[in-house]
Amino acid sequence: LAKTTQPISMDSYEGQEVNITCSHNNIATNDYITWYQQFPSQGPRFIIQGYKTKVTNEVASLFIPADRKSSTLSLPRVSLSDTAVYYCLVGPGSGAGSYQLTFGKGTKLSVIP
Amino acid sequence: EPEVTQTPSHQVTQMGQEVILRCVPISNHLYFYWYRQILGQKVEFLVSFYNNEISEKSEIFDDQFSVERPDGSNFTLKIRSTKLEDSAMYFCASTPVYNEQFFGPGTRLTVL
């Protein structure tokens, strides 16, 4: 499994754009990059998944450079409710069926009023 | 929107007792999982279940643990003889064919 490295914590003011970068130097050709969000005392929640270039949904954008050795989760105009831990995961993508998710320590994002 | 549910939300038990944690995955999902998270630590994979049998299990999932899908809706995790170190949040997750896993709210297990 490809190892991921992301900052332990980040602070941001409300209304700002937040970019969280994840390194995954040993990503395999068939691996996807997936981000989950976890609030205290809740289960992780899927945010976004991508393979290359850029993916955008109603919550976030995911930027993946051509070499795919890193990725950046972008949260536009964060609010206090975005305070959470954000996990970057690398592994088989859609259609892989049964696949265990391997979580790291994640990035604890604190949004300040 | 369909969601994974788990009961109870909090379970307190004495060391050595058996506990059963219950989950109702999203209907029409095919793959089911249990994860746990010890306070302040990472979310750890325990076991995956498909077609009424275990697909994968981690080193944590030893003989004290078992899973079952007793009917068409419930998915249970049993710990036969709880230890202090089993105290954690236990999350159930389910997924259709695709990789996005839908997690339940968790059961907080406290072993005294």
Side-chain angles (χ1 to χ4, degrees):
Chain A
L1 292 172
K3 182 183 175 184
T4 61
T5 303
Q6 50 183 124
I8 293 173
S9 64
M10 292 181 71
D11 292 336
S12 175
Y13 288 102
E14 271 191 296
Q16 290 191 326
E17 177 184 80
V18 170
N19 295 309
I20 305 174
T21 297
C22 177
S23 297
H24 29 79
N25 291 318
N26 297 321
I27 189 169
T29 303
N30 61 345
D31 281 343
Y32 282 68
I33 298 134
T34 309
W35 287 78
Y36 280 77
Q37 173 193 56
Q38 186 182 26
F39 297 112
S41 298
Q42 293 188 28
R45 184 174 75 101
F46 172 92
I47 303 175
I48 196 165
Q49 182 182 82
Y51 184 80
K52 62 180 180 181
T53 61
K54 177 183 174 182
V55 179
T56 297
N57 61 22
E58 64 277 6
V59 177
S61 294
L62 179 59
F63 299 91
I64 305 166
D67 66 6
R68 303 198 332 119
K69 293 184 183 300
S70 67
S71 59
T72 299
L73 174 73
S74 181
L75 304 172
R77 296 179 299 282
V78 294
S79 64
L80 295 176
S81 61
D82 292 316
T83 294
V85 179
Y86 292 83
Y87 300 98
C88 166
L89 291 80
V90 170
S94 299
S98 175
Y99 173 67
Q100 58 168 289
L101 298 179
T102 301
F103 289 85
K105 294 184 178 179
T107 297
K108 184 174 183 179
L109 172 65
S110 298
V111 180
I112 306 162
Chain B
E1 182 178 330
E3 57 185 22
V4 175
T5 59
Q6 291 185 242
T7 55
S9 57
H10 190 189
Q11 174 86 48
V12 180
T13 189
Q14 295 290 326
M15 188 170 56
Q17 295 296 305
E18 174 184 285
V19 295
I20 297 176
L21 309 183
R22 291 183 166 79
C23 167
V24 179
I26 295 172
S27 64
N28 81 0
H29 281 193
L30 301 177
Y31 299 90
F32 312 113
Y33 308 82
W34 283 101
Y35 294 82
R36 80 170 186 191
Q37 186 174 32
I38 296 171
L39 185 64
Q41 298 189 24
K42 298 185 290 187
V43 177
E44 300 174 289
F45 168 78
L46 293 178
V47 65
S48 61
F49 193 85
Y50 170 71
N51 201 25
N52 285 320
E53 61 182 25
I54 291 174
S55 311
E56 293 177 287
K57 60 182 180 179
S58 71
E59 292 179 353
I60 303 169
F61 194 87
D62 60 22
D63 292 343
Q64 292 299 312
F65 291 88
S66 62
V67 289
E68 191 178 33
R69 189 156 163 82
D71 52 44
S73 58
N74 290 285
F75 180 50
T76 63
L77 174 69
K78 181 192 290 186
I79 309 174
R80 288 190 184 82
S81 178
T82 50
K83 309 183 191 74
L84 294 176
E85 54 265 36
D86 293 328
S87 294
M89 282 288 285
Y90 287 81
F91 297 108
C92 172
S94 70
T95 187
V97 176
Y98 303 98
N99 195 38
E100 177 185 347
Q101 294 186 17
F102 295 79
F103 284 77
T107 292
R108 181 175 298 281
L109 176 64
T110 301
V111 182
L112 303 176

